[in-house]
């Protein structure tokens, strides 16, 4: 799946970085806690989040995240857009809530990537 | 000839928006040097969590990074409150971060566990009321 296909599936819009829309996405991660995002290694992941501050961009940078989707119509500010452009990370904005946005992408075949721990 | 490169960064005291600048710079440099992407990622995440910790708990501090062909060593020094119970602090989910930090996406009690997870060696020296020095090593 490409970043463009993620954006289309969510009926979302690019805030910035549309020029990198053809890049491949291999998996997805949805979280508002950045330390949880940092806890598991990801491969070409798209990050879905309801959190909207510069540390979202930094976390994405450290994890080599390929694109960030802001759910619930959260709007990144100029500072965030600038940080993301320097790092070539497209920012996407969707009106969907987290659960629905994740569900839509799961239905399109995107997975979480990590093996889950079965709790007894 | 020395194959070692040393860098020093000052972590700003309470400006949370700037936290991560040092880790970002180290990541950039390692990439320019052609390091293994897996090594770069481990260094970037471990150092970033450390940097965030310094801003949340210790009013900033200083980070020294040394890169040699064998490994990357990060020494994070602060003059913060110190860690009274390291064993507890190492538990995933244990956090003393204030509520406003949680609203920013951190303070879930994953900082130190993540730092340990991504570094190959980690050592914490801490004295309550004096400060904390965390040394992390990632092998090349």
């Amino acid at each position: 799946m490409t970043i463009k296909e993620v954006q289309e599936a969510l009926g979302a819009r690019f805030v910035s970085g549309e020029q990198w829309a053809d890049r491949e996405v291999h998996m997805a991660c949805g979280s508002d806690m950045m330390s949880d995002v940092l806890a598991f290694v990801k491969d070409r992941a798209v990050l879905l989040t309801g959190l909207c501050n510069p540390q979202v961009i930094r976390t994405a940078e450290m994890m080599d995240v390929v694109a960030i989707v802001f759910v619930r119509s959260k709007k990144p500010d100029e500072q965030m857009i600038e940080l993301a452009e320097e790092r070539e990370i497209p920012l996407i904005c969707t009106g969907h809530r987290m659960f629905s946005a994740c569900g839509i992408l799961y239905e399109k075949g995107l997975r979480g990537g990590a093996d889950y721990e079965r709790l007894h | 000839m020395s194959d070692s490169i040393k860098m020093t960064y000052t972590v700003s005291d309470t400006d949370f928006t700037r936290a991560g600048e040092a880790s970002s710079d180290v990541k950039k440099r390692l990439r320019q040097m052609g390091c293994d992407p897996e090594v770069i990622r481990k260094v970037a995440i471990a150092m970033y969590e450390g940097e965030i910790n310094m801003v949340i708990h210790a009013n900033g501090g200083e980070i020294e990074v040394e890169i040699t062909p064998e490994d990357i060593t990060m020494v994070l020094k602060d003059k913060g409150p110190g860690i009274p119970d390291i064993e507890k602090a190492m538990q995933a989910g244990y956090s003393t971060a204030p509520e406003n930090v949680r609203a920013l996406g951190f303070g879930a009690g994953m900082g130190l566990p993540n730092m340990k997870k991504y570094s190959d060696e980690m050592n914490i020296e801490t004295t309550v009321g004096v400060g904390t020095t965390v040394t992390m090593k990632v092998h090349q």
Side-chain angles (χ1 to χ4, degrees):
Chain A
M1 200 169 188
T2 64
I3 297 171
K4 175 108 193 113
E5 286 169 321
V6 168
Q7 173 249 332
E8 284 171 355
L10 295 173
R13 68 175 180 85
F14 278 99
V15 175
S16 61
E18 197 169 356
Q19 64 266 44
W20 302 300
D22 293 333
R23 292 186 178 169
E24 276 294 321
V25 174
H26 291 173
M27 53 183 282
C29 163
S31 181
D32 291 352
M33 288 308 295
M34 293 301 109
S35 279
D36 283 346
V37 177
L38 290 163
F40 299 100
V41 169
K42 293 159 184 64
D43 171 40
R44 301 199 67 80
V46 57
L47 169 64
L48 295 97
T49 186
L51 189 70
C52 199
N53 69 45
Q55 296 311 328
V56 176
I57 316 289
R58 300 243 188 243
T59 299
E61 173 191 7
M62 303 309 160
M63 298 305 286
D64 297 320
V65 159
V66 293
I68 303 171
V69 175
F70 293 96
V71 298
R72 304 192 298 273
S73 304
K74 295 279 171 74
K75 302 232 174 2
D77 63 16
E78 278 309 313
Q79 187 195 7
M80 292 170 68
I81 292 171
E82 202 180 303
L83 271 177
E85 287 199 322
E86 277 170 29
R87 289 154 184 79
E88 300 189 8
I89 303 170
L91 303 183
I92 298 165
C93 187
T94 176
H96 284 294
R97 295 177 193 175
M98 178 70 97
F99 181 79
S100 308
C102 291
I104 289 164
L105 295 182
Y106 193 91
E107 223 172 36
K108 295 277 179 190
L110 265 191
R111 293 293 180 263
D115 293 329
Y116 77 104
E117 215 176 306
R118 190 183 289 274
L119 300 175
H120 295 282
Chain B
M1 195 187 90
S2 164
D3 283 334
S4 143
I5 298 170
K6 275 187 188 168
M7 293 168 290
T8 307
Y9 299 91
T10 303
V11 178
S12 132
D13 47 0
T14 47
D15 188 356
F16 192 74
T17 60
R18 289 186 56 196
E21 277 182 358
S23 313
S24 178
D25 188 69
V26 168
K27 186 172 188 192
K28 217 176 289 170
R29 279 169 191 258
L30 291 175
R31 200 181 280 158
Q32 282 164 357
M33 291 166 72
C35 283
D36 174 9
E38 209 38 57
V39 171
I40 298 177
R41 186 133 64 163
K42 284 166 75 176
V43 169
I45 299 170
M47 186 169 157
Y48 178 55
E49 286 279 20
E51 219 181 322
I52 293 281
N53 269 352
M54 289 169 95
V55 177
I56 295 176
H57 298 288
N59 296 319
E62 207 166 74
I63 305 179
E64 283 169 26
V65 180
E66 186 176 10
I67 305 167
T68 71
E70 289 78 38
D71 46 44
I72 294 134
T73 308
M74 297 156 268
V75 182
L76 294 79
K77 274 185 216 163
D78 70 57
K79 294 191 175 74
I83 307 167
D85 188 339
I86 294 186
E87 210 177 299
K88 226 174 178 179
M90 289 304 301
Q91 283 172 14
Y94 177 79
S95 175
T96 57
E99 198 54 43
N100 65 325
V101 167
R102 291 173 194 247
L104 294 165
F106 290 90
M110 292 304 293
L112 282 171
N114 277 351
M115 286 158 73
K116 188 166 179 65
K117 180 176 172 180
Y118 288 104
S119 56
D120 294 313
E121 293 170 41
M122 181 165 106
N123 180 51
I124 304 175
E125 281 169 53
T126 185
T127 309
V128 172
V130 177
T132 301
T133 299
V134 180
T135 306
M136 295 184 286
K137 227 183 237 297
V138 173
H139 302 150
Q140 291 257 35

